[in-house]
Amino acid sequence: MSIVTVQLGQCGNQIGHEVFSALCSDIRGTHGLCSKKENQSYHDSCKERFFCEEESGVPVARAVLVDMEPKVISQTLSMAARSGHWKYNSHSHFCQKQGSGNNWASGYSVHGPRHKEAIMNLVQKEAEKCDRLGGFFTMMSMAGGTGSGLGAFVTQCLRDAFPTSFILNHVIWPYGTGEVIVQNYNSVLTLAHLYQSSDALLVHENDVIHKICAQLMNIKQISFRDVNQVIAHQLGSVFQPTHTAGEGSGYSRNPLGDLMETLVAHPEFKLLGLRNIPQMPENSLAYSSFSWPGLIKHLRQMLIANAKMEEGIDWQVRPPHHGSSIPSTNKPLHFNTSIANLVILRGKDVHGVDLGSFRDPSLYTAWLNPQDAFRAWETPRAFNKYEKSASLVSNSQFLLKPLDSIVAKAWNMFASKAYLHQYTKFGIQEEDFLDCFTTLEQVISSYTNL
Amino acid sequence: AVSLPFAVGQCGNQVGCRFWDLALREHAAVNKKGVYDEALSSFFRNVDTRSGGNGPDIYKGKICSLKARALLIDMEEGVVNEILQGPLRDVFDSKQLITDVSGSGNNWAVGHKIYGCQYRENIVEKLRKMAEHCDCLQCFFIIHSMGGGTGSGLGTFVLNLLEEEFPEVYRFVTSVYPSGEDDVITSPYNSVLAMKELNEHADCVLPIENESLFEIVNKINQMINSGKLGSTVKQSLVTSSAGSAKTLQEKPFDAMNNIVANLLLNLTSSARFEGSLNMDLNEISMNLVPFPRLHYLVSSLTPLYTLADVNVPSRRLDQMFSDAFSRDHQLIQADPKHSLYLACALLVRGNVQVSDLRRNIERLKPSLHFVSWNQEGWKTGLCSVPPVGHSHSLLALANNTCVKPTFIELKDRFMKLYKKKAHLHHYLQIDGMEQSCFSEAVSSLSDLIEEYNELDATKGGPRIDPSRLKIAV
């Protein structure tokens, strides 16, 4: 099954490019550390998922690029083509001239309806190229105007046009200390709207990735490109082919479906966090060796202590004792309760890795069957030059604090009515804001009371 | 997306002239292949002049003849004529000029009411023609001074006109405010009458004070002449026309006008050139104007001189950020550090990455006072292309209550004249002018000052976060 990616706005397009780059570079690599047959299978599966063939033999990304100003798309298209190893379809993009001005209302209420037909036509074309459509992967930031506002509108259109397809939104949460002053308004409006039409929101926070670049990757002058490359690596570690039904089952044909089935049991809980270890500069890879038990132990502690990366983990945090019924208020502080988790293992000696510690019922809420709350995917094929790589996609309280922080700042600004005139002039009224605040307070409350 | 500048009056056109020259230089430095590209199209049309005079526009391919997208308006001919006889004559054609002979006599009313009425149709027609040549018109720039008659009066008339004819297009105004020692006696009248128009019809105003420009130019000259920094300091490309596209004779206000021209270039750089975090003009308005009337932005530009050595350690980069917040880099007589920030934007050009931005914001934040509802109110942009002669540069735009003293002083100077009814008859004898124009104007200014007062009153006060919505569990 194939996934159609929709890249929205500057951020969505910049990251999208890095993702396809990483996927392509991974399958071209000779460091798979597995049998030729396995490698070929992986290669074919990845190609089916993300690329389609052209006469020239150069893989063409299954993607639609959307932006309200031309510079980023122009750059993205040419960078991909210059690589010589993959490219975008030269017609699968839509752009305008004047941008959305960081205004969610402009993206949603003005650009959305105005350009709906043109954009959905492109999406339809890409969807038709797939033998079997596995769903949509949209990429956007929620801080600006296009990715956020137009992105929310397009997601709604996707839902309307493809009611039975899976829609996964990859959302970038901006640096806490502003990239955009109205980012918290744009974020609240985006998240509340996406919650209605999307199946799940897979989140990356700029602050967290920045720290990874600084402390783990040892990058001195961190650029957005560096940040985007780490994000691309993490996304690749989730979406490159895996065996989801155990050894010998062949690569999964339905990655988005499998993901949703595992992680999103209840429509009130759609926020997914992502962790990937190990993470290090490329030139250190050859000198490092990890053991699976070590990696699993770290990943599990990152989960329960809500650590953002593998350094500075609080090892003191422990799960509560599992009893017949524990009221949520008795749970130890700082313990991150999960609804469901997905662990993905790639690389050497991956079979038979003991994941019992992730099946511990005390990690999870009481209302899901422990067997249903955890899944593992794996492949012996190493990813992106990492001999061993472990990823965790988690539906847990990972994003509770950051979400609460965004809502608090947005509410604070809303109470003063600052900037509201910029939104009302494009048709987003105070009541619309209030509805979105209500939706998100509900989400916060639900996750808090796990 | 196109930005259309209108240079109105003597000051406006002198700044405009510097602006066009620097824009050509900047694009020439970047555009090595002589191809007419998206970046050039925001300020220039590409016209086929082979068949003489005014050929059709060429939208792609080789550069044939670049024509500035602009309207030059002056009610005296001197400045515009000089431009047309000078090295920039090929960049403009007669259809972009509106001139008259007798000037406005430093009288806002003459500029606004008499010439406004007289030239309205002409201006609208030329404006429509220019708009037709743009596939996407994003904003208008008005460059003018506040103290005289044409720039101030006719300039604000044009502002009104733009709102009527193209309400969707953003209106940015770069206004040069008169100093206390201004030799035009009626400059306070002209400025306050113009302020009312700016209050009501501009989306964003960048006030500039000649005193600040003068001090900056002086300081640079002192530094160069004293040899304090040794031979590492070259004649500043920000303030001089050294290395310009066309050779020009330096005139007294040139260095000061260069600064304003560079301000406009930097403001539009991220819309023209690529970068990892683009900042378009409509984003500036969106992020920096929390309430419609509070749209006055204090600007600062760094660095102001060129260092000859190429390797710039990050210490110097950090110094650039510090300088942007210092009193002596502001383009008005104001000290934002000791007043209240409503919002702040940083547009960086050159080899500067997001980590440099973050490091400096973290470093500078503690010493700045932000309003309670916007504690982390930073808007940032990263443009890869530096200005000519620099490896990087920073433009800071602050919506800060430090503009208040400028407005208060202006009001005081106005009242000094108004109380004695000095020179009032020169205005009142103009058709359409009444006493109420004056009282309404000063009232508008007072209201604006009061809004800043109310904000200042909240500074340093206790921070009470509003209680959140309660959800039934």
Side-chain angles (χ1 to χ4, degrees), chain A residues 159-186:
Chain A
R159 175 53 72 216
D160 292 337
F162 301 88
T164 56
S165 290
F166 293 107
I167 301 175
L168 177 65
N169 287 76
H170 179 245
V171 189
I172 296 294
W173 290 20
Y175 289 97
T177 319
E179 299 165 25
V180 168
I181 295 175
V182 292
Q183 64 187 39
N184 298 311
Y185 278 169
N186 292 337

Side-chain angles (χ1 to χ4, degrees), chain A residues 102 177 221-222 409 419 441, chain B residues 287 355-356 358 379 468:
Chain A
N102 287 166
T177 319
Q221 194 190 25
I222 301 166
K409 289 191 233 179
Y419 299 100
E441 293 287 6
Chain B
N287 285 282
S355 55
D356 302 310
R358 307 232 57 75
K379 164 70 182 158
R468 299 266 292 272

Side-chain angles (χ1 to χ4, degrees), chain B residues 222-346:
Chain B
Q222 271 173 31
M223 275 203 287
I224 294 172
N225 294 333
S226 75
K228 233 183 185 169
L229 291 159
S231 55
T232 54
V233 180
K234 287 209 297 235
Q235 178 58 243
S236 164
L237 283 166
V238 176
T239 55
S240 89
S241 56
S244 318
K246 325 264 183 181
T247 44
L248 292 164
Q249 259 191 326
E250 291 254 353
K251 294 199 298 299
F253 278 100
D254 270 358
M256 290 162 64
N257 292 337
N258 260 352
I259 297 177
V260 184
N262 272 294
L263 166 67
L264 292 173
L265 270 186
N266 284 341
L267 192 63
T268 56
S269 60
S270 184
R272 291 176 288 135
F273 301 118
E274 45 97 6
S276 61
L277 190 58
N278 295 337
M279 189 196 291
D280 229 334
L281 290 159
N282 49 8
E283 294 172 29
I284 292 174
S285 170
M286 174 69 179
N287 285 282
L288 293 174
V289 184
F291 299 100
R293 299 209 337 146
L294 299 177
H295 57 248
Y296 293 87
L297 307 179
V298 180
S299 50
S300 65
L301 215 48
T302 62
L304 291 167
Y305 52 86
T306 312
L307 294 169
D309 65 58
V310 179
N311 288 325
V312 182
S314 69
R315 183 172 46 87
R316 291 237 184 88
L317 187 61
D318 288 10
Q319 186 60 47
M320 180 177 78
F321 281 90
S322 300
D323 285 343
F325 290 88
S326 76
R327 203 182 197 293
D328 48 11
H329 278 78
Q330 309 304 314
L331 300 190
I332 64 167
Q333 301 281 289
D335 188 5
K337 258 189 156 158
H338 292 104
S339 303
L340 190 63
Y341 276 91
L342 302 183
C344 186
L346 298 175

Side-chain angles (χ1 to χ4, degrees), chain B residues 67 81-93 246:
Chain B
K67 298 276 183 219
N81 275 346
E82 246 189 85
I83 296 175
L84 292 181
Q85 282 155 22
L88 287 175
R89 61 181 166 274
D90 295 325
V91 176
F92 302 104
D93 67 45
K246 325 264 183 181

Side-chain angles (χ1 to χ4, degrees), chain A residues 34-50:
Chain A
C34 61
S35 70
K36 224 171 155 194
K37 179 161 172 260
E38 185 81 55
N39 201 37
Q40 189 60 49
S41 203
Y42 184 84
H43 190 273
D44 293 340
S45 181
C46 171
K47 278 277 211 48
E48 180 198 44
R49 249 178 228 196
F50 297 110

Side-chain angles (χ1 to χ4, degrees), chain A residues 10 14 69-72 75 97-104 175-183 186 207 210 220-224 227 404 407-409 411-413 415-423 425-426 434 437-438 441-442 444-445 449, chain B residues 1 38 135-136 138 170 270-278 280 282-283 285-292 317 342-344 351-356 358 361-362 365 372-374 376-380 382 463-469 471-473:
Chain A
Q10 174 166 26
Q14 283 176 187
E69 66 107 345
K71 296 194 298 290
V72 180
Q75 248 197 312
K97 299 274 185 183
Q98 77 271 52
S100 301
N102 287 166
N103 191 324
W104 192 93
Y175 289 97
T177 319
E179 299 165 25
V180 168
I181 295 175
V182 292
Q183 64 187 39
N186 292 337
D207 282 301
H210 192 104
K220 292 280 172 282
Q221 194 190 25
I222 301 166
S223 66
F224 271 112
V227 171
D404 190 71
V407 172
K409 289 191 233 179
W411 185 248
N412 194 11
M413 191 179 269
S416 72
K417 303 208 186 301
Y419 299 100
L420 289 182
H421 72 285
Q422 307 271 17
Y423 292 86
K425 85 174 168 206
F426 292 116
L434 280 171
F437 276 112
T438 308
E441 293 287 6
Q442 183 66 62
I444 291 171
S445 170
N449 293 315
Chain B
E38 191 83 39
D135 51 12
C136 171
Q138 185 175 68
Y170 287 92
S270 184
R272 291 176 288 135
F273 301 118
E274 45 97 6
S276 61
L277 190 58
N278 295 337
D280 229 334
N282 49 8
E283 294 172 29
S285 170
M286 174 69 179
N287 285 282
L288 293 174
V289 184
F291 299 100
L317 187 61
L342 302 183
C344 186
N351 183 19
V352 184
Q353 303 301 342
V354 64
S355 55
D356 302 310
R358 307 232 57 75
I361 290 177
E362 288 309 309
K365 210 166 55 131
S372 69
W373 41 260
N374 198 6
E376 284 159 335
W378 297 83
K379 164 70 182 158
T380 56
L382 293 165
R463 163 96 181 267
I464 309 164
D465 287 338
S467 25
R468 299 266 292 272
L469 283 178
I471 303 292
V473 174

